[in-house]
Amino acid sequence: MIVHWHRRDLRPSDNRGLARAAGDGPVVPLFVLDPTVLEHASPIRVACLLEALDDLRTWYRERGSDLLVVRGEASAVVPEVATEYDARRVVWNEDYSGLAAERDRAVRAALEDADVTCESIHDAIHHEPGSITPNQGTHYAVFSYFWKKWRDREKRDPADEPDPGDLATVSGDPIPSLADLGFDDPEATPPTVTTAAARERVAAFCSGPIYDYAARRDYPAESGTSRLSPHLKWGTVGPRELYAATERAAQRAETDDDRESVRAFQRQLAWREFYAHVLAFNPETVTENFSGYENEIEWQNDPAELEAWQTGETGYPIVDAGMRQLLAEGWMHNRVRMLVASFLTKDLLTDWRAGYDWFRAKLADHDTANDVGGWQWAGSTGTDAQPYFRVFNPMKQGREYDPDGEYIREYVPELADATADEIHSWHELEPAERERVAPAYPAPIVDHAERRKRAIDLFERARGE
């Protein structure tokens, strides 16, 4: 017997660790609900996890096996399962956060004590950390250099799913509910996170929208993005399967612009991998500035302003639309993610970690590497970060990327009857005019121009300039 320990690879196909185990099977499939990991979870993410587990369990049961879903510390549970099924090896796919690395070290030690061998496989990304490097150092800190090597590096083909004969005949206990695990129902409606849903989304995106991705991805009122992030988070689609689908789309492209648009999407996949490499070598960046000037930044951290940002009550329409979309859907358009992050760190002068914590609690697709990288980019403290003197103007961004106010009206109903010009000029309207247009919507809580200047001064002091 070989145990395959599923973690963030909740799929049977294009799963390199599972395929490796199946080659020496029969495979005992295992997932561990580890309380140490669940301490860092949130209701919406656990809801997605449980759905993905149920879907994966169904796949195993249809083939005469089962997914063992066991609660307990992984360092205790994994050796126990291996011993129970007389497994000679445990296989899992690598994760790259500090928490995962700490957990895996403990499991390795416990398996060694139990005289069971283990093997970890690089599966969640194409190229393992340390394989794309500059001439000096362990990883790139500038994405453009990483991208040049990533795009030209050969990608593996998708791994085959196991045959039914490769799977052990086992039977597991029922999967616990949210309540069983101590979580309330999520405020937002979780997305469907199954392999079938992932494949449907990949097929739909690569059949048409991918050719408009470069031109339309920044417009939140449109369906210009893939919406695959929850599936990449939970591994209900494999990275090689997704990349292969984009390569087939590139081969079908009718124009050079179409092919460049496919390349633009692949570039975003490379960004995710870039941040995974950075986190693997710098796990402390979950709580510390990558740039190093940790105690020099004089964050204001006003609790009332943070709450206004969290609830979508800042008086800046596109910021509020994004924050309310997050609360309603557990997801936010990527362009708007950058805007709300810039607004928190530069306009409200609030530590990026407060924003990261809120996203971690509310996003269905929260990914440690991607979110830490994105927040430190917006906060001008990370790798290849937004220069501190470039501060997004939320009103200008709203006018450029939601010119008709369609996205804003969807999530900020107080502005449903306002014209596009009234929405995008909200900061300039007189109080009486705001009262006439949208009496229930707040005035801007800060002056953008004044806060922009303060933010630049703050960073220049921190940098000793």
Side-chain angles (χ1 to χ4, degrees), residues 313-316 320 426-427 429-431 434 438-446:
E313 297 285 347
T314 68
Y316 282 88
D320 293 339
W426 186 254
H427 64 305
L429 299 182
E430 295 295 330
R434 291 196 191 106
Y441 187 62
I445 62 171
V446 296

Side-chain angles (χ1 to χ4, degrees), residues 162-295:
D163 293 327
D166 296 328
L167 306 174
T169 302
V170 296
S171 180
D173 295 328
I175 296 174
S177 66
L178 271 173
D180 292 335
L181 296 173
F183 291 91
D184 296 328
D185 289 334
E187 301 168 87
T189 302
T192 299
V193 184
T194 65
T195 294
R199 285 179 163 169
E200 288 173 9
R201 190 162 289 279
V202 170
F205 180 66
C206 290
S207 66
I210 196 170
Y211 301 120
D212 295 319
Y213 180 78
R216 309 314 302 170
R217 64 178 178 173
D218 284 325
Y219 295 87
E222 302 183 16
S223 299
T225 62
S226 71
R227 297 291 291 257
L228 283 165
S229 52
H231 298 288
L232 292 169
K233 155 69 182 178
W234 293 111
T236 47
V237 65
R240 293 153 297 276
E241 182 176 334
L242 173 57
Y243 187 82
T246 66
E247 285 289 277
R248 291 193 295 272
Q251 292 168 6
R252 295 191 302 268
E254 297 179 355
T255 68
D256 288 342
D257 286 347
D258 287 351
R259 279 183 284 275
E260 284 304 309
S261 189
V262 174
R263 182 68 84 178
F265 179 72
Q266 291 176 336
R267 194 171 189 269
Q268 295 305 306
L269 299 179
W271 264 110
R272 297 181 68 90
E273 194 153 321
F274 170 72
Y275 283 142
H277 284 221
V278 172
L279 182 67
F281 287 104
N282 305 274
E284 73 283 355
T285 57
V286 175
T287 56
E288 298 177 14
N289 294 334
F290 179 87
S291 57
Y293 47 104
E294 183 61 44
N295 299 314

Side-chain angles (χ1 to χ4, degrees), residues 14-17 19-20 93 96 119-129 131 150-160 238-248 273 277:
D14 191 23
N15 186 322
R16 296 189 65 235
R20 178 71 64 86
N93 289 317
Y96 303 106
E119 182 179 10
S120 61
I121 307 295
H122 291 283
D123 169 80
I125 56 180
H126 291 281
H127 310 295
E128 63 188 81
S131 65
W150 187 94
R151 70 186 180 188
D152 296 330
R153 190 71 60 88
E154 184 177 356
K155 307 293 186 289
R156 292 187 177 95
D157 293 330
D160 293 332
R240 293 153 297 276
E241 182 176 334
L242 173 57
Y243 187 82
T246 66
E247 285 289 277
R248 291 193 295 272
E273 194 153 321
H277 284 221

Side-chain angles (χ1 to χ4, degrees), residues 6 11-15 18-23 27 59-60 63 159-167:
H6 283 279
R11 63 185 184 278
S13 58
D14 191 23
N15 186 322
L18 180 58
R20 178 71 64 86
V27 175
W59 185 89
Y60 278 117
R63 287 153 182 81
D160 293 332
E161 65 182 38
D163 293 327
D166 296 328
L167 306 174

